[in-house]
Amino acid sequence: MKEIKEMKDLRSHTVTKGADRAPHRSLFNACGFTAEELNRPLIGIIYAFSEIVPGHIHLDKLAEAAKAGVYMAGGTPILMPVIGVCDGIVMGHGGMRYSLASRELIADSVETMAAAHCMDGIVLIPNCDKIVPGMIMGAARLNIPSVVVSGGPMLAGRKDGKAINLSTNFEAVGAYKAGLIDEAELRGIEEASCPGCGSCAGMYTANSMNCLAEAIGIALPGNGTIPAVHAARTQLAKHAGMKVMELLERGIKPRDIINEKSITNALAADMALGCSTNSVLHLLAIANEAEIHLTLEAINEVSGRVPNLCHLSPAGPHHLQDLHEAGGLTVVMNQLAEAGHIDVTAVTATGKTVGENIKSAVNKNPDVIRPMENPYGKVGGIAVLWGNIAKNGCVVKQSAVAQEMMVHSGPARVFDSEEQAIEAIYGGKIMPGDVVVIRFEGPRGGPGMREMLAPTSALAGMKLDKTVALITDGRFSGASRGASIGHASPEAAEGGAIGLVREGDIIEIDIPAHKINVLVSDEELQERAKGHKIPEPRVKSGWLARYSSQVSSASTGAVMRFNGLQG
């Protein structure tokens, strides 16, 4: 192991130094640690390995690689686990209520394990949807040297010479229900769409957040795009272990990295990549933990000036491996920097600035990463809309919306749960031109703000995604495409006007103008509100009931109110 100069006043000295800590050292002894190891900085390797999440089934190997990196750099690594929910497996049933809510448990677990045991630094090893932001939120709270290294994206599957992935599978269910494909075709897609470990292959929430962790600078270059099965991913984990020791020596902490500059950089990358709408929730929550003021208005400001350079699945044909082969996020950020959209002075976990990290990036495939003068879209991938049914805003992935649906007007088809909506869609009751409204699925009302991949995929599979819009106070998987508008705030369970919409009301959507309204007068909405009753909570026991009573609005990141946010 590398010999490093002795560091004074380490957090770990609280449990390793002095005669009065003999009992504490005896417990370390029981775990097999030597005196030599206890004389070095203690680094928590916090990882989310399990055998139920494809993105996490290999994280034990990456944890061992990160341990090796810490040892090589002169520290003592200590493995610590956290939970992780597989959004795909919990999709479309009550289990999805636990997904977003688990982000808070993960942040709490990171804080608990590292703070209680006096870690000097941490390497965070997540991969999937809520685990990535949850770990970053915990690091921002702790503010001790931290590096994120994700598990990396899954390779796309192959069928009949074409790349496919998880969203192909979900949409195939809709096609099967509509009689467009047979059971044998559905089974073939099922068997080919997810070929191995890693976060699902499109620009879904997991890969969005792994890329944005890199854009923020809390993860090393390559974090967002190096495939899970590549040796470079293992090497990246070793380098993460080495880098956390460098950050410790230099006194660089998460809040030196996560600040207004880096969050704005991440938003610019978000718009260029066409990330999941869930990235809005998570960036708001990370900003809250780092005590940075971020608003939905700021998101639209960045979206208005940063073009969409990538059309990754489900918006287009490319996958994360294609983005990686084209040069990865460093190319995207280099192009944005040359156009003045990135602050190159921001500090990163490499110990260098963003500018130093990206200066040598070369675009190897201008179709996967379009040049600034020839973007896929002149504005960013995400837009925030406002109107009388979303006075505090709602969010759409505009880069995945067909041009003919950017402006749409149609009758509301109203459902008070995802299950009701999916039954109507599969039952052939949704017609071209309709606007499906799914409410009481927000952070409080769901509870847990379930993802609506089943309804959106059903619509896409039935070839209705270019004629039917969907609005909800719930949220969408990054695998959703079409005019899927989520996060409507205030949510129905908090008295939001989305709860007052009635069957047949005409809803107007104008994404370029950032507007969404039900064509009902203010007086009529006020009259409806007088007799309106909010249903009893769906969940009245367990920690989800506690979550429901304390969670804030989607417009402020759906964080817990006692975390200093009262919105």
Side-chain angles (χ1 to χ4, degrees), residues 14 50 117 260 335 380 384 410:
T14 303
S50 75
H117 300 102
E260 289 185 7
Q335 292 185 179
V384 180

Side-chain angles (χ1 to χ4, degrees), residues 505-536:
D505 285 347
I506 301 300
I507 294 178
E508 283 191 347
I509 300 165
D510 189 335
I511 294 174
H514 302 133
K515 293 181 180 179
I516 183 166
N517 287 287
V518 59
L519 299 188
V520 174
S521 68
D522 290 344
E523 292 76 15
E524 171 63 17
L525 287 177
Q526 290 171 5
E527 190 63 29
R528 291 182 186 182
K530 290 179 182 178
H532 181 63
K533 291 185 179 181
I534 296 173
E536 288 286 312

Side-chain angles (χ1 to χ4, degrees), residues 90 142 239 242 251 300 302 334 344 365 382 414 416 428 469 485 493 548 567:
V90 304
L142 290 162
H239 284 127
M242 297 180 210
N300 260 4
V302 176
N334 189 35
V344 296
N365 190 334
I382 289 176
V414 181
D416 287 344
I485 302 165
S548 177

Side-chain angles (χ1 to χ4, degrees), residues 69 74 77 83 123 146 188 229 272 291 343 418 434 457 498 520:
I83 63 167
V123 177
S146 306
V229 295
E291 299 182 2
D343 189 325
E418 178 188 9
D434 286 348
S457 296
I498 189 173
V520 174

Side-chain angles (χ1 to χ4, degrees), residues 231-513:
R233 177 61 57 176
T234 303
Q235 293 165 344
L236 189 71
K238 291 179 180 178
H239 284 127
M242 297 180 210
K243 279 297 177 183
V244 76
M245 292 299 297
E246 180 182 332
L247 299 183
L248 179 60
E249 288 188 70
R250 295 177 58 183
I252 298 175
K253 300 176 182 178
R255 294 199 189 187
D256 299 316
I257 295 171
I258 305 172
N259 49 42
E260 289 185 7
K261 291 192 292 187
S262 66
I263 290 291
T264 303
N265 285 349
L267 283 173
D270 191 331
M271 300 308 162
L273 292 169
C275 289
S276 163
T277 50
N278 285 316
S279 64
V280 173
L281 283 174
H282 300 324
L283 287 176
L284 287 167
I286 291 167
N288 178 63
E289 294 290 356
E291 299 182 2
I292 299 162
H293 183 60
L294 178 63
T295 65
L296 294 179
E297 288 80 3
I299 291 169
N300 260 4
E301 186 277 322
V302 176
S303 180
R305 62 179 170 81
V306 176
N308 178 224
L309 304 180
C310 302
H311 260 194
L312 298 154
S313 179
H318 304 130
H319 292 84
L320 267 292
Q321 65 207 66
D322 302 312
L323 179 60
H324 179 64
E325 290 168 6
L329 188 63
T330 54
V331 169
V332 175
M333 295 189 71
N334 189 35
Q335 292 185 179
L336 293 176
E338 289 177 352
H341 297 306
I342 293 290
D343 189 325
V344 296
T345 67
V347 175
T348 73
T350 65
K352 300 177 182 178
T353 65
V354 168
E356 291 173 309
N357 289 343
I358 67 176
K359 63 182 179 182
S360 60
V362 176
N363 191 343
K364 301 173 184 176
N365 190 334
D367 186 42
V368 175
I369 306 173
R370 289 279 185 91
M372 297 295 290
E373 61 271 17
N374 183 34
Y376 281 103
K378 294 182 179 179
V379 294
I382 289 176
V384 180
L385 316 181
W386 282 272
N388 62 359
I389 54 173
K391 290 186 177 180
N392 293 343
C394 55
V395 182
V396 62
K397 186 174 181 176
Q398 61 183 349
S399 60
V401 178
Q403 190 59 41
E404 55 265 43
M405 290 298 291
M406 295 294 283
V407 177
H408 180 76
S409 177
R413 304 299 310 281
V414 181
F415 306 96
D416 287 344
S417 71
E418 178 188 9
E419 287 81 3
Q420 290 179 6
I422 197 70
E423 181 180 356
I425 295 169
Y426 284 154
K429 298 178 181 178
I430 303 302
M431 299 293 113
D434 286 348
V435 178
V436 175
V437 177
I438 306 177
R439 59 197 184 186
F440 297 104
E441 290 285 6
R444 171 174 286 192
M449 203 179 182
R450 290 193 290 175
E451 289 184 345
M452 303 290 154
L453 181 56
T456 59
S457 296
L459 292 172
M462 293 174 165
K463 310 300 182 185
L464 291 171
D465 57 302
K466 294 183 180 180
T467 59
V468 172
L470 193 156
I471 178 171
T472 179
D473 52 9
R475 59 194 178 93
F476 297 109
S477 164
S480 296
R481 61 188 172 99
S484 304
I485 302 165
H487 309 194
S489 301
E491 62 174 289
E494 289 197 312
I498 189 173
L500 304 177
V501 177
R502 292 179 180 173
E503 187 81 7
D505 285 347
I506 301 300
I507 294 178
E508 283 191 347
I509 300 165
D510 189 335
I511 294 174

Side-chain angles (χ1 to χ4, degrees), residues 83-85 87 90 94-109 129-131 133-134 137 141 278 281-282 442-444 446-451 475 539 542-551 557-560 562-563:
I83 63 167
V85 169
D87 275 24
V90 304
M96 177 53 79
R97 294 193 174 100
Y98 288 90
S99 176
L100 179 61
S102 73
R103 186 189 68 184
E104 314 309 308
L105 292 183
I106 292 160
D108 292 349
S109 294
D129 297 53
K130 310 311 156 310
I131 301 89
M137 290 162 66
R141 284 185 205 170
N278 285 316
L281 283 174
H282 300 324
R444 171 174 286 192
M449 203 179 182
R450 290 193 290 175
E451 289 184 345
R475 59 194 178 93
V539 177
W543 70 268
L544 276 181
R546 182 172 70 248
Y547 175 86
S548 177
S549 69
Q550 296 174 338
V551 68
V559 299
M560 304 302 280
F562 57 73
N563 280 354

Side-chain angles (χ1 to χ4, degrees), residues 26-27 42 109 157 209 222 282 298 528:
S26 72
L27 295 169
L42 303 186
S109 294
M209 292 312 301
H282 300 324
R528 291 182 186 182

